[in-house]
Amino acid sequence: MATKTHTQSGTLSSAKVKRTSSMRQIREDLMGYAFVSPMVLGLVIFTLFPIIASFFLSFTDWNFVAGFSKTKFLGLDNFIKLIHDSVFLLSLKNNLILMIVVPVTLAISVALAVIIDKKIHLKDLLKVVFFIPYISSIVAVAIVFQVLFHPTYGPINQVLMSWGMDNPPKWLADPDFALYCVMGLMVWVQIGYNMIIFMAGLQSIPNDLYEAADIDGASKWKQFYSITVPLLSPTTFFLLVTGIIGTFKVFDVISVLTGGGPANSTTVVVYRLYETAFVNLQSGYASAMAVVLLILVLLITLLQWIGQRKWVNY
């Protein structure tokens, strides 16, 4: 009888422990959901919902001023119109040209990172100096570049004229040079950020590899090509993907520096989208641009992800 009572008591205690453990687990789960819910809610409201809404609005003729009651379904007309929109095609071409900024920035940044990490003593000071443009207000930076590249009174043209050049380039006022000025600004701003990331990657490379290469008589260039570049490939891949996506998102530089001009020579898809939606009030047509831009970025990112298998070493 005592054994039976002991068994029942043990069973009840075990059930109570399991119930207590289950309640504790539920409380922990609820606490976890409570902590992540603001981020999830923000993701749904500000990212997923706009993407889904843009997809549906891209098939309509609608603007946010008239309201949803004036929505008119157009089918694929917006996308067909995009194919014949010369300004949109030019903005798409400009975006593809801006992609050149990424490899140029990466090349300069990795060179600076290696030099500063190996040869320079005031590393912390130089990190701050190169990083300042990245954390500075892009509006202030763009205004400074407007002054520098002013076609008449800008310091750059003043120096060129003092050297004997009678007709220096008009820079931001010249359709042939304006986009390259924007690219120069983007490179200058991004160098510091990329350099810091590359320097962090350099810290993870064992010094034993370089010491062994020195013993084998490998030159500094050979060490850079055979050790540094392959072991920095994951960092390079990360900066390449985020950098190219960033070139398709560029807006503030264009808006402040050139306003898409002259003659739409610096307009990009996002800036053209903004003008179409909020200036011309063609929200449905702008949504079609957004869908095309999303698909293009996804395709380019997918190609990079497939291609990284051949050159990224983890």
Side-chain angles (χ1 to χ4, degrees):
M1 186 67 180
T3 303
K4 184 177 180 180
T5 304
H6 178 73
T7 303
Q8 291 176 345
S9 176
T11 302
L12 292 174
S13 299
S14 177
K16 185 177 180 180
V17 168
K18 289 182 179 179
R19 186 165 56 253
T20 303
S21 177
S22 177
M23 293 297 296
R24 184 184 298 113
Q25 184 64 45
I26 292 174
R27 286 197 298 269
E28 290 179 356
D29 291 343
L30 291 176
M31 186 65 70
Y33 291 137
F35 277 115
V36 302
S37 59
M39 180 62 70
V40 173
L41 190 62
L43 178 67
V44 171
I45 295 176
F46 298 111
T47 303
L48 295 181
F49 176 74
I51 291 175
I52 296 172
S54 294
F55 178 77
F56 285 106
L57 290 174
S58 65
F59 299 102
T60 67
D61 177 15
W62 176 77
N63 71 78
F64 62 91
V65 175
F68 288 103
S69 61
K70 302 294 183 180
T71 303
K72 180 181 178 181
F73 182 75
L74 298 178
L76 297 175
D77 288 357
N78 283 333
F79 295 95
I80 296 173
K81 184 179 177 181
L82 283 178
I83 299 175
H84 303 93
D85 188 340
S86 59
V87 178
F88 173 76
L89 295 177
L90 178 60
S91 67
L92 195 59
K93 175 186 174 183
N94 290 338
N95 263 126
L96 296 176
I97 294 175
L98 284 179
M99 289 172 60
I100 300 174
V101 166
V102 180
V104 172
T105 306
L106 291 179
I108 298 174
S109 299
V110 72
L112 288 173
V114 171
I115 293 172
I116 294 175
D117 188 63
K118 300 294 183 182
K119 303 295 184 182
I120 306 297
H121 294 289
L122 300 176
K123 296 180 183 180
D124 294 335
L125 176 62
L126 289 174
K127 287 179 183 178
V128 173
V129 170
F130 281 103
F131 198 65
I132 284 177
Y134 182 77
I135 61 176
S136 299
S137 168
I138 195 63
V139 175
V141 172
I143 291 175
V144 170
F145 265 67
Q146 279 183 332
V147 174
L148 289 174
F149 287 106
H150 192 280
T152 305
Y153 305 106
I156 294 177
N157 276 1
Q158 290 293 322
V159 171
L160 292 177
M161 287 188 289
S162 68
W163 289 350
M165 183 179 291
D166 296 329
N167 296 305
K170 300 300 181 182
W171 303 118
L172 294 173
D174 189 338
D176 295 329
F177 286 93
L179 186 61
Y180 299 107
C181 294
V182 173
M183 294 169 68
L185 170 61
M186 293 174 64
V187 171
W188 184 71
V189 169
Q190 291 292 330
I191 282 176
Y193 170 77
N194 289 0
M195 187 192 74
I196 295 296
I197 301 298
F198 274 127
M199 292 186 73
L202 288 172
Q203 303 303 315
S204 64
I205 300 178
N207 288 328
D208 297 346
L209 297 177
Y210 294 106
E211 293 173 0
D214 280 329
I215 294 173
D216 290 339
S219 63
K220 295 299 182 182
W221 169 251
K222 184 67 175 178
Q223 293 179 31
F224 174 77
Y225 182 79
S226 301
I227 299 175
T228 306
V229 171
L231 294 182
L232 279 180
S233 57
T235 305
T236 305
F237 175 64
F238 164 75
L239 292 174
L240 181 65
V241 172
T242 56
I244 289 180
I245 293 175
T247 61
F248 281 95
K249 292 165 53 181
V250 62
F251 171 81
D252 44 9
V253 173
I254 302 298
S255 179
V256 178
L257 191 60
T258 65
N264 293 315
S265 60
T266 60
T267 189
V268 291
V269 175
V270 174
Y271 188 77
R272 175 62 177 164
L273 189 157
Y274 159 77
E275 285 188 323
T276 303
F278 299 104
V279 178
N280 301 328
L281 300 180
Q282 297 176 331
S283 303
Y285 190 44
S287 297
M289 295 181 187
V291 171
V292 172
L293 180 62
L294 174 63
I295 294 173
L296 182 61
V297 170
L298 288 177
L299 286 175
I300 292 176
T301 305
L302 179 62
L303 290 175
Q304 292 179 88
W305 188 261
I306 295 174
Q308 59 92 21
R309 300 173 185 173
K310 296 183 178 180
W311 62 275
V312 178
N313 301 291
Y314 291 102

